[in-house]
Amino acid sequence: MSPRNVPRPAGVYGVDIGKNVFHVVGLDRDGEPVQRARFRRDTLLQFFERAAPAIVGMESCVDAGSILPRSPILISPIIARPPVPRRGLRETGGA
């Protein structure tokens, strides 16, 4: 795991679930981003095993409950912000 992907103290983590890549945004207690990182499935598990206990939110789907060793807060796909297609940009703002 690269040094930039070492967990930083955060009160809340948002996880954007993808097929092969997961985007994680860590927020402090004031709601300010303290970390943005991208992981494959195996390194995502390593990240959360090392992270201090915090709230983890992710969009609900079939695999959502089995991705993390902790119990995440699942958000209905109806409530989650849909991706906005933008020409020439990658989707990294979902978490």
Side-chain angles (χ1 to χ4, degrees):
M1 185 175 294
S2 72
R4 72 172 268 252
N5 289 343
V6 172
R8 297 188 189 124
V12 177
Y13 289 103
V15 180
D16 184 20
I17 302 172
K19 185 174 181 181
N20 297 313
V21 177
F22 301 88
H23 295 269
V24 176
V25 176
L27 304 174
D28 63 10
R29 301 213 181 263
D30 298 326
E32 297 296 320
V34 294
Q35 183 169 21
R36 293 179 191 272
R38 189 175 78 171
F39 299 99
R40 292 185 325 271
R41 186 178 294 259
D42 58 336
T43 55
L44 179 74
L45 293 175
Q46 292 173 5
F47 175 83
F48 280 107
E49 287 171 353
R50 295 179 182 177
I55 296 170
V56 178
M58 65 174 59
E59 185 179 356
S60 63
C61 69
V62 176
D63 284 342
S66 64
I67 292 172
L68 297 176
R70 301 179 187 175
S71 297
I73 295 174
L74 300 177
I75 302 167
S76 169
I78 295 170
I79 298 171
R81 186 182 72 136
V84 178
R86 296 183 186 147
R87 211 167 126 206
L89 299 177
R90 294 183 182 175
E91 180 194 346
T92 60

